[in-house]
Amino acid sequence: MPLETRLSAFMDGETSREEKEELERLIASDPEARRIFDELKHGSDVGRKAFDEVLKEPVPLALVRSIKSAQAPKAREPAPRLSRPSLKLAPTGRQALAAALILFVVGGGIGYLVGMQPSGAPAAAPASPAPNRTWLDDIAAYHRIYAHQPRHIVEVQATEVDEISKWLTGTVGVKFNIPDLAADGLVFQGARMFIANGKPVGQLIYKDLDGDVVAICFMKDEGVAGDGNFDETIKDDVSIVSWHRSGTAYAVVGPSSDAMLDQIADRVSSEI
């Protein structure tokens, strides 16, 4: 089965003891499996919270009154059943012999047709194409994880500006400046690096006054022509504003509730 299906069954407690131990070892050792497990767990938590909120909604008074005032359905009297005449289905000797001959002829014809077919293996059904995953999908997945890691939100602290510039420039291959976003209520926290779409991505991380995380991501992407136009994408609870320029892909990612993300992206585009 696909890994997502196995991990979903593991979360629901529907796996055997041996498979449970195997998946626990896989989650502990494989970053991709751990990422998929964290996404499934986060989605389950979001769905459970949403369902709990629905249960908290009060029942309308009109519905309560209609239920209380409704009368119980009257019991219907059983309708008299009509007796059917019994039929005798026992075949005669001639009928049984004729039926046996017909089955023999039909069975022989089917066996002959099957034997004439080529003995090659049946053709496999064409596999459905895999969804086209982009670096924005990886950004959204990582943001849901590290945005809730208060003690490990960055790899290099904001006080080590020279180390951040040297490290990310050498690893990602993109020269950059660290934008000052204090006017937008954002405080620089530090930097980290992760892999998206098979390429290293540099990330500058900020926090607003409410503690929400807003990050600037950049990746070498010479295969896409850059026009500098913004493209806003919302993936559930994460909002991303992305653009391309001079062989580099940029993105500003934050919570989807942040209405100022496009203005922040405009400032980042001119300062980075």
Side-chain angles (χ1 to χ4, degrees):
M1 294 186 296
L3 182 58
E4 291 83 352
T5 305
R6 297 176 61 198
L7 291 176
S8 179
F10 170 72
M11 291 175 54
D12 296 336
E14 299 177 354
T15 56
S16 62
R17 180 178 180 182
E18 293 77 8
E19 188 173 8
K20 177 182 177 183
E21 295 176 353
E22 178 186 353
L23 289 174
E24 287 176 348
R25 291 193 297 268
L26 184 63
I27 293 172
S29 60
D30 188 349
E32 179 66 15
R34 183 165 57 253
R35 178 186 67 79
I36 296 174
F37 176 73
D38 291 339
E39 289 184 14
L40 291 174
K41 186 177 181 181
H42 175 75
S44 178
D45 294 340
V46 172
R48 183 170 57 255
K49 291 180 181 178
F51 184 70
D52 291 342
E53 293 298 327
V54 172
L55 294 180
K56 293 179 182 178
E57 293 292 332
V59 179
L61 182 60
L63 178 60
V64 176
R65 291 177 177 174
S66 64
I67 294 175
K68 289 184 177 181
S69 61
Q71 296 181 356
K74 297 181 179 180
R76 298 179 59 183
E77 296 182 359
R81 301 181 61 183
L82 299 177
S83 60
R84 296 181 180 179
S86 59
L87 298 177
K88 186 177 182 180
L89 300 179
T92 63
R94 291 184 178 182
Q95 291 175 341
L97 178 60
L101 290 175
I102 292 173
L103 292 177
F104 176 77
V105 173
V106 173
I110 294 176
Y112 174 77
L113 293 177
V114 172
M116 293 297 292
Q117 296 293 329
S119 58
S128 57
N132 187 18
R133 187 179 180 88
T134 66
W135 80 303
L136 299 182
D137 295 301
D138 292 331
I139 287 177
Y142 275 99
H143 188 82
R144 292 190 185 97
I145 297 175
Y146 71 73
H148 298 87
Q149 303 289 326
R151 297 185 58 185
H152 305 282
I153 193 171
V154 298
E155 294 179 82
V156 182
Q157 298 296 326
T159 54
E160 303 180 66
V161 176
D162 293 338
E163 175 62 22
I164 291 174
S165 179
K166 180 180 178 182
W167 171 46
L168 293 183
T169 300
T171 305
V172 181
V174 175
K175 293 183 178 181
F176 64 94
N177 298 315
I178 299 178
D180 183 5
L181 303 179
D184 298 290
L186 297 175
V187 180
F188 182 53
Q189 304 294 313
R192 64 168 45 244
M193 191 273 293
F194 65 94
I195 303 299
N197 202 22
K199 298 179 181 179
V201 177
Q203 200 169 48
L204 307 177
I205 298 176
Y206 298 76
K207 271 190 177 183
D208 62 13
L209 299 179
D210 296 327
D212 292 329
V213 176
V214 175
I216 303 170
C217 305
F218 49 90
M219 176 185 73
K220 197 73 173 178
D221 195 11
E222 298 176 347
V224 179
D227 53 10
N229 293 331
F230 291 154
D231 183 15
E232 185 171 4
T233 304
I234 296 179
K235 297 182 179 295
D236 298 330
D237 56 335
V238 177
S239 181
I240 305 173
V241 180
S242 59
W243 69 98
H244 288 80
R245 187 176 62 206
S246 301
T248 302
Y250 297 93
V252 175
V253 55
S256 57
S257 58
D258 193 341
M260 307 295 293
L261 206 63
D262 54 343
Q263 299 181 19
I264 297 173
D266 185 61
R267 184 186 297 274
V268 170
S269 177
S270 61
E271 292 187 11
I272 197 168

